[in-house]
Amino acid sequence: MPNDYPRSRRVAEQIKRELSSLIATEVKDPRAALAVVTDVEVSRDLAHAKVYVSTADLDSDGEGLVSGLTRAAGFLRGRLGTSMRVRTVPALRFIEDRTEREAARLDQLIQDAVSEDRRRQGDDE
């Protein structure tokens, strides 16, 4: 049973919950205002955490989001230290999650191809 749900995954889920709340309520940087924490991966020794973030606004700059959160990483790590019951809080590394952007781009490509096919079929008739 313990191997089915390792400690690193439990810590990652707790970090995800806590960071989502902290970013929404306490980070003052406007670049991070619409940040959404999509996933957290914590190393087995709990020393490092990769935090995957996305923005709710697909038109905004993802690099600005990551740089804003990177600047606030020390503050966020300190806040995590007070709210979590772990001996050491992992070092946070923010990475842009481009899944939503790519999904929207692929959806647009599919829509364009379908409309092009319909237009060609209309021209042939």
Side-chain angles (χ1 to χ4, degrees), residues 51 56 67 76-77:
V51 181
S67 65
L76 291 170
R77 189 174 181 206

Side-chain angles (χ1 to χ4, degrees), residues 79-118:
R79 289 296 199 160
L80 285 174
T82 59
S83 64
M84 294 177 55
R85 289 187 172 176
V86 291
R87 192 170 296 179
T88 60
V89 177
L92 303 175
R93 180 173 162 225
F94 293 96
I95 301 169
E96 180 186 7
D97 185 0
R98 298 180 181 169
T99 306
E100 290 292 324
R101 282 180 207 254
E102 288 298 312
R105 186 181 70 79
L106 290 174
D107 188 44
Q108 185 61 45
L109 287 173
I110 291 169
Q111 293 297 330
D112 292 345
V114 168
S115 65
E116 180 69 22
D117 281 347
R118 287 185 181 150

Side-chain angles (χ1 to χ4, degrees), residues 33-47:
L34 297 175
V36 177
V37 178
T38 57
D39 195 21
V40 176
E41 293 177 2
V42 177
S43 62
R44 290 183 70 184
D45 63 354
L46 305 178

